[in-house]
């Protein structure tokens, strides 16, 4: 018989600004319970985190990607997000890289770069910036080529 657990109730902490800190009682699958507190940067709802395995908990904050109109054989074009992701931390993970805030980056839909450290994320940003500089050069060449083509 399955017992439904109530939704977590977020109680503002008395020692921090009310909107930033969320705390709830979490029942652990193997027995017992623990009081969880969201980091102030976490925007996850934790709607389904009222019970479960400790290592299922993740705190995070999404950031949107750029949407590009990509060719779609059925619809002509379809919006495709690129470079979307989230800051994440998995406080109970057995993987030490997940227990520290990191970036989960989706270069394009359904592809992922996981557990990026600040230095690794900076390297990705530098690579994208460099590529955009190269695309500026290609754009200038295209403009020149189109003028000469006429």
């Amino acid at each position: 018989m399955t017992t439904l657990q109530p939704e977590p109730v977020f109680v503002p902490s008395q020692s921090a600004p009310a909107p930033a800190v969320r705390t709830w009682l979490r029942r652990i699958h193997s027995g017992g319970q623990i009081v969880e507190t969201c980091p102030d940067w976490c925007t996850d709802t934790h709607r389904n985190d009222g019970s479960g395995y400790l290592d299922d908990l993740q705190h995070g904050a999404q950031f949107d990607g750029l949407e590009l109109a990509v060719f779609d054989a059925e619809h002509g074009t379809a919006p495709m997000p690129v470079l979307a992701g989230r800051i994440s931390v998995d406080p109970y993970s057995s993987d030490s890289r997940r227990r520290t805030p990191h970036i989960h980056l989706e270069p394009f839909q359904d592809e992922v770069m996981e557990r990026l450290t600040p230095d690794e994320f900076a390297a990705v940003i530098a690579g994208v910036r460099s590529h955009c500089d190269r695309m500026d050069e290609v754009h200038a060449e295209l403009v020149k080529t189109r003028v000469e083509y006429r």
Side-chain angles (χ1 to χ4, degrees), residues 48-67:
N48 297 316
D49 288 335
S51 63
Y53 295 96
L54 273 178
D55 62 357
D56 285 345
L57 181 68
Q58 184 179 86
H59 295 289
Q62 298 287 130
F63 58 90
D64 293 333
L66 170 67
E67 285 205 349

Side-chain angles (χ1 to χ4, degrees), residues 95-106:
D95 181 342
S96 63
R97 290 185 63 173
R98 288 186 176 280
R99 288 192 309 265
T100 303
H102 57 276
I103 293 291
H104 177 98
L105 183 67
E106 295 181 19

Side-chain angles (χ1 to χ4, degrees), residues 64-79:
D64 293 333
L66 170 67
E67 285 205 349
L68 299 177
V70 177
F71 173 75
D72 180 275
E74 210 173 292
H75 301 101
T77 61

